[in-house]
Amino acid sequence: MSVVSVLTPVLVLVLCLVMGFLALRGRRSPAAAAKPWVDEDLRDDSEEAQLREGEDEEWVDVNEEKEVAHVPYSPQRHSHEQMLQRSLDFYELMNRRRSVRFISPEPVPLVVVQNVIRAAGTAPSGAHTEPWTFVVVSDPDVKHRIRLIVEEEEEVNYRQRMGDKWVSDLAPLRTNWIKEYLDVAPYLILVFKQTYGILADNKKRTHYYNEISVSIACGLLLAALQNAGLVTVTSTPLNCGPKLRLLLERPLNEKLLMLLPVGYAAEDATVPDLQRKPLPDIMVHI
Ligand code: IYR
């Protein structure tokens, strides 16, 4: 038997083992392979996963021992004419909102941001669990660390994770992994969804529909910012969640959903000249 015929099967075996090991190490779930834009940190949050997570832990009822009184509610009513005017005014205000990536360093009073977050916190939530944490960062050093984390990951996103199609779909928006606004904007608001609640006695409570609830809160937050004359861009930095959570010292039950730089628009800010779909394309009346 020649040396070659003995060594070849051995080499093939070693190669297979090494490739198998590398494949396992770099493994992503089938869902991840199919949907690379879904953040790994956000992925495993189905109701099922929440239930699994709590198997050997002590969980409590969401509203344990809380008898909630039901009180009369009479919201403001307007005449038809006023309703028409108000609905149009609000639409026109919101229609001027744009995602702005050029933000002025000019300071913004903190109390305005506090009010905006109060408005976001009025969102409805599953079983009224209010599963959100808004981390407001104005410290320049922390903002810069956030920028370093985001830019490092976003470069990998653009170069590898997102793929050619996604990158070319974004080309008209002229986005890239350089995020100057993370240093420049007077505030960064990092919105975390709490996948479950932790009570004072360390018991857990289920946060039903936490991602939907926090997404609704984000919508209100965007409207409140627009109403205050501030701008933002709804950035969702892919795969930065765990590092940012650690940097900001947030607990394990909190997952980053959105990162919003907030401030006035820079004087020379530009936005892509996009059109919105007309009503018949977005509304079906049955
Ligand atoms: N998160 C990246 C990429 C990005 C993705 C989508 I979808 C956008 O609408 C815009 C950007 C970034 O912030 O650059």
Side-chain angles (χ1 to χ4, degrees):
M1 237 200 267
S2 75
V3 179
V4 175
S5 61
V6 173
L7 276 186
T8 306
V10 176
L11 277 175
V12 168
L13 185 69
V14 169
L15 201 67
C16 286
L17 285 173
V18 170
M19 281 169 59
F21 173 72
L22 289 177
L24 274 178
R25 254 181 26 136
R27 185 180 51 162
R28 302 182 87 201
S29 67
K35 295 181 177 171
W37 59 87
V38 180
D39 197 303
E40 282 186 18
D41 191 36
L42 293 178
R43 197 167 294 122
D44 193 28
D45 70 342
S46 60
E47 300 261 308
E48 212 186 311
Q50 288 184 32
L51 294 177
R52 263 203 322 273
E53 198 171 350
E55 260 164 21
D56 343 305
E57 322 246 357
E58 213 179 335
W59 287 70
V60 295
D61 291 347
V62 164
N63 292 316
E64 198 184 43
E65 291 164 19
K66 252 197 261 158
E67 193 42 61
V68 178
H70 284 225
V71 293
Y73 177 61
S74 25
Q76 240 186 332
R77 272 197 68 146
H78 309 286
S79 67
H80 282 193
E81 200 183 305
Q82 280 174 321
M83 269 206 292
L84 185 63
Q85 193 57 51
R86 289 174 68 100
S87 57
L88 192 62
D89 288 348
F90 188 70
Y91 158 62
E92 283 172 352
L93 171 73
M94 293 312 296
N95 197 28
R96 288 197 294 273
R97 186 202 58 77
R98 297 301 311 268
S99 290
V100 178
R101 294 174 172 82
F102 304 98
I103 299 181
S104 160
E106 192 181 338
V108 169
L110 179 63
V111 65
V112 174
V113 174
Q114 288 172 327
N115 287 339
V116 161
I117 290 177
R118 280 197 177 99
T122 66
S125 60
H128 190 57
T129 47
E130 305 174 277
W132 36 68
T133 306
F134 302 92
V135 179
V136 177
V137 180
S138 58
D139 182 304
D141 180 50
V142 180
K143 284 194 294 180
H144 190 64
R145 285 166 194 239
I146 292 173
R147 179 175 179 182
L148 294 181
I149 291 173
V150 170
E151 287 188 343
E152 190 186 339
E153 284 297 327
E154 286 283 42
E155 183 168 358
V156 183
N157 293 338
Y158 274 86
R159 288 191 193 278
Q160 296 168 21
R161 296 191 187 110
M162 287 159 57
D164 293 346
K165 186 182 170 298
W166 191 357
V167 171
S168 76
D169 280 346
L170 285 181
L173 304 183
R174 296 192 203 156
T175 61
N176 61 33
W177 59 84
I178 313 282
K179 312 283 181 197
E180 213 186 344
Y181 55 69
L182 294 175
D183 271 324
V184 174
Y187 298 103
L188 304 180
I189 304 180
L190 292 95
V191 186
F192 287 84
K193 61 171 197 177
Q194 301 168 357
T195 52
Y196 53 88
I198 305 173
L199 303 179
D201 52 7
N202 259 340
K203 286 182 187 163
K204 295 178 171 184
R205 67 177 195 159
T206 309
H207 279 177
Y208 304 99
Y209 298 107
N210 56 74
E211 184 160 330
I212 296 179
S213 305
V214 183
S215 303
I216 297 171
C218 287
L220 295 186
L221 198 140
L222 296 183
L225 287 172
Q226 175 69 7
N227 182 54
L230 297 171
V231 298
T232 189
V233 48
T234 48
S235 88
T236 50
L238 195 64
N239 284 342
C240 299
K243 284 187 197 151
L244 293 176
R245 185 180 65 72
L246 289 173
L247 174 72
L248 302 170
E249 299 180 3
R250 300 311 307 161
L252 253 174
N253 61 325
E254 295 190 6
K255 311 278 182 207
L256 183 72
L257 196 67
M258 236 172 250
L259 192 172
L260 306 168
V262 168
Y264 302 105
E267 262 177 37
D268 56 356
T270 55
V271 294
D273 188 15
L274 306 175
Q275 305 303 316
R276 294 197 156 98
K277 288 180 178 174
L279 188 65
D281 288 8
I282 63 169
M283 175 175 163
V284 179
H285 186 184
I286 297 172

